Every structure is written in structure tokens, then in C-alpha cells.
Amino acid sequence: MTLPTPADSFSQSYVEASAKFRVTAAGAGAALTRYANPNRGPNGEALATDVARFGPADAAGVLLINSGTHGAEGFCGSGAQIALMAAGWQRRLPPGVALVLSHAINPYGFAWLRRVTEENVDLNRNFVDHAQPHPANPGYAEIHDWLLPAAWEGPERETADAALARFTAERGDLASRTAQSSGQYTHPDGMFYGGIAPTWSNRTFHAIIDAHLRTAQRFCFFDLHTGLGPSGYGEPSYVGRDTEEGFAEAQRWFGPDVTWLSRGTGASQPLGGHIGEPFAPYHARGVTGPVLGIEFGTHPREVVRTALRAEHWLHRRGIADGQLAARIKRDLRDAFYVDADEWKAQIVARCEELTGKAIANLAQA
Ligand SMILES: [Zn+2]
């Protein structure tokens, strides 16, 4: 079979991405596992997370690369994963090292052009201990109705935007960003809602890492994201195990441009309940390795923020059709995915660079 080129590795829909991932993985000799999601896509299509594994079943070193935590951000992550297979990284694995690609962990968000799951949950805020009281974010309650005003266009929106600008002027930029996007557990119809129980994607992710890190003594995890930072730049953001030693290890493996999420040194403000949390038990029992979010920039922060607000507004108001709905959905996809060959080439080059470094370190460790 002919493997896709970097630009051909990217897709225009979840359906295309999912099929291309499975065909490419099968052609490259992967062991494939499918986790079926109980929902359907906008055209009645089946939804699933697919996992491709290359390398020995009892690998001591595992590189796990995940896409689509934030639904529509999967356009980028899917393309990168397919490009890695097309470039033949599965044939360059040293003895004892496995490569595992987890495709579309939030297939509902990917298919429906949402950043959140079918539960309206930001998966990257959902990995908290739900038996404990949920983290408080009192700032969010203050701005919820301004973020999602009664009307998206006209006087209500203008009043809401003025109130948000006042909030930022009075409290500062960091407090404003923290209120809005660090996660909230009180408004199920709101933005950056972390949920009060593990979502399907959360449970599926746990099943995937339990299956694939079973024999690992060391591992590396990349979670592929978009929407923050300079366009085309891939920022490696250290998210676990959240120690000086762990951060030093991440910089040793990947270089000085690794940032530290919980210290706020990168494009994202610190946040809890992220997808690095499920690796804590592995680190606790001595399985070592860096856990990184890779954040690829798309458009200026304000463009991304407005697209996200609009899509949440649409969902909260229950509007599915019409010109405004179509425009908002298109803007949402465009906010998290730059459909241009040059951008895609930058994404693929960065993923190949980081994959090469991870594999070299997994072999040596
Ligand atoms: Zn993301």
C-alpha cells in the first residue's frame, strides 16, 4: 500500500481520520484495538478510540502518543500520528521498546466539532478524584453568564463583553484566565467543566494505559493539543510527575524549551485534573518517564477564545442548525486546526523530533 505524505496524513472529518488511522496502522503492521463509544456522530457514524501498538508485547520501554483529548484538536493529533507511521517510526524501534498510538480519545468531540466530551466535560479537567470535594473556582461563577450571554450578537453580547473586560481589568489577566479556563465543577452547561464523575473517555484512557504499560519499566507520554502559543510551534509542557527531578528528566530528554504546567512557565495557566494524573500510580511504583502535553499554536489567543465561547453558547442554547450555527462550528474547527501544508509540515517535523528523542532515551534508560 502507499503510505500518506505529511499533508495527506491530515483529514477533514473524524470519519476520514478514523478510517485513515486504521488503514495506515494495519498496513504498517500494528496490533489494533478498538474501544467503541456508545454515541453516534452527526451523520450517524460509529464513534471509537482506536489504539495501534508496534513492538514487543512485553516491552520494558513504551512511548504512548495520544490524540483528541480535546475533541476537535484531534485534526492535528490524528494527522501527526498517521504521519509518524507513514514516516516509518514503527520500524526504527530499538529492542524492548514499543510505540503505542491512541487515536481520538474523545471521539464524540472530534466528530461533533466540540472541544469537550459527550458529557460537556473538558477531559483535561476530568482526571480528579471524584470521591473528594471538587476543586473550587469561585471566579467562574461570576463570569459564567457573561461568557455565554442570552444572544451571541447584539446588545446582550456587548454588555457581556464589557463585563468580562471589567473583570480582567480589576482582577488581572492571570486571575481572569484562571476563572475562565482552569476548570470548574459547578456549571454542567458551562465552559471548562470538569464533570463530577469519570467520563467515557476518562475510563477508556485508564483501560488503554493499563493495557499498554503493563510490562513497562519506563515510558514516555505525549498528549497532542492545539490552540495555545505561536502558530506552528509545538511547546512540550511537562505535566507529571510534578517534581524537580521529573522536570529535570523531561528537559534532559527533550531540551531546555520544555515548560512546566504547574509552575505556569508555558502558554497554559496551571490546571488540575489533567490527563497526566492517571500516570501517578505508575510513577509511585517506580515506573519512570516524562509525561508531556505538546501544545501546537494555531491562532492568536483571542481568536481561539472567541471561537470556543461561541461554540459553547450554541450548545447551551441548543441551536443545531442555521447559518450562524454552521459558521460557529467552522470557526471552532479552524481555531484548533490550520488547514495549510506549511503548518502541517511544522507539526509533523516537531512530532518526529520529539519521537526520536523519546525513543533514544527509552532505549538508553
Ligand atoms: Zn487541548
Side-chain angles (χ1 to χ4, degrees):
M1 65 171 281
T2 312
L3 291 169
T5 65
D8 292 342
S9 300
F10 294 77
S11 302
Q12 297 299 324
S13 68
Y14 162 77
V15 174
E16 183 190 349
S18 170
K20 197 183 289 184
F21 178 83
R22 279 176 287 137
V23 167
T24 307
L32 273 163
T33 314
R34 192 163 171 80
Y35 297 85
N37 181 282
N39 299 285
R40 293 269 157 184
N43 299 306
E45 62 271 36
L47 302 176
T49 300
D50 291 292
V51 181
R53 182 181 174 114
F54 302 96
D58 62 348
V62 176
L63 170 58
L64 171 59
I65 305 178
N66 184 56
S67 71
T69 293
H70 283 143
E73 294 179 19
F75 285 98
C76 170
S78 166
Q81 290 176 319
I82 292 165
L84 286 174
M85 293 187 280
W89 281 94
Q90 64 280 2
R91 294 191 300 272
R92 300 183 220 170
L93 299 173
V97 175
L99 171 64
V100 180
L101 304 174
S102 159
H103 184 266
I105 191 64
N106 168 11
Y108 179 92
F110 195 160
W112 286 89
L113 302 178
R114 303 210 73 204
R115 186 175 167 282
V116 290
T117 65
E118 56 268 43
E119 300 93 345
N120 193 49
V121 164
D122 182 336
L123 180 57
N124 219 27
R125 311 290 185 276
N126 185 238
F127 291 94
V128 294
D129 180 355
H130 293 284
Q132 302 297 319
H134 288 87
N137 179 0
Y140 183 81
E142 291 186 57
I143 62 173
H144 174 67
D145 284 327
W146 299 333
L147 286 172
L148 307 171
W152 186 243
E153 287 164 335
E156 278 116 332
R157 169 77 186 286
E158 284 158 26
T159 303
D161 283 2
L164 285 173
R166 223 168 28 245
F167 185 90
T168 304
E170 286 167 11
R171 313 288 175 91
D173 188 51
L174 180 62
S176 174
R177 282 200 282 141
T178 300
Q180 182 177 159
S181 59
S182 67
Q184 53 87 11
Y185 297 83
T186 48
H187 294 67
D189 64 346
M191 297 180 70
F192 300 94
Y193 175 56
I196 53 166
T199 60
W200 179 89
S201 296
N202 176 325
R203 299 192 306 273
T204 301
F205 189 69
H206 274 281
I208 291 167
I209 63 174
D210 287 348
H212 290 281
L213 296 187
R214 207 173 32 83
T215 62
Q217 292 158 21
R218 55 194 180 276
F219 72 98
C220 178
F221 175 65
F222 296 156
D223 202 35
L224 305 177
H225 290 262
T226 60
L228 286 177
S231 180
Y233 175 67
E235 176 194 306
S237 169
Y238 168 72
V239 299
R241 56 206 139 134
D242 227 21
T243 60
E244 294 282 354
E245 188 194 358
F247 180 63
E249 176 187 56
Q251 286 207 324
R252 208 163 51 241
W253 284 35
F254 298 105
D257 46 358
V258 177
T259 60
W260 191 341
L261 180 71
S262 69
R263 297 269 166 102
T265 64
S268 173
Q269 81 287 347
L271 55 93
H274 55 69
I275 199 163
E277 302 288 358
F279 296 99
Y282 290 87
H283 284 134
R285 59 175 186 261
V287 184
T288 60
V291 175
L292 298 178
I294 315 294
E295 186 68 62
F296 290 102
T298 52
H299 299 285
R301 185 187 294 275
E302 210 42 47
V303 173
V304 175
R305 218 177 75 116
T306 302
L308 200 52
R309 257 180 92 192
E311 198 282 327
H312 270 275
W313 173 85
L314 196 68
H315 183 80
R316 189 185 182 199
R317 304 291 161 191
I319 301 165
D321 302 311
Q323 269 186 354
L324 179 62
R327 195 185 80 211
I328 285 175
K329 283 294 183 184
R330 194 178 57 241
D331 286 351
L332 190 280
R333 194 203 75 151
D334 291 349
F336 292 103
Y337 174 54
V338 180
D339 194 7
D341 287 353
E342 191 190 336
W343 187 84
K344 293 171 192 175
Q346 286 176 287
I347 305 312
V348 171
R350 182 62 151 168
C351 283
E352 289 208 57
E353 177 209 335
L354 295 170
T355 296
K357 286 177 174 172
I359 286 171
N361 279 285
L362 285 167
Q364 279 169 15

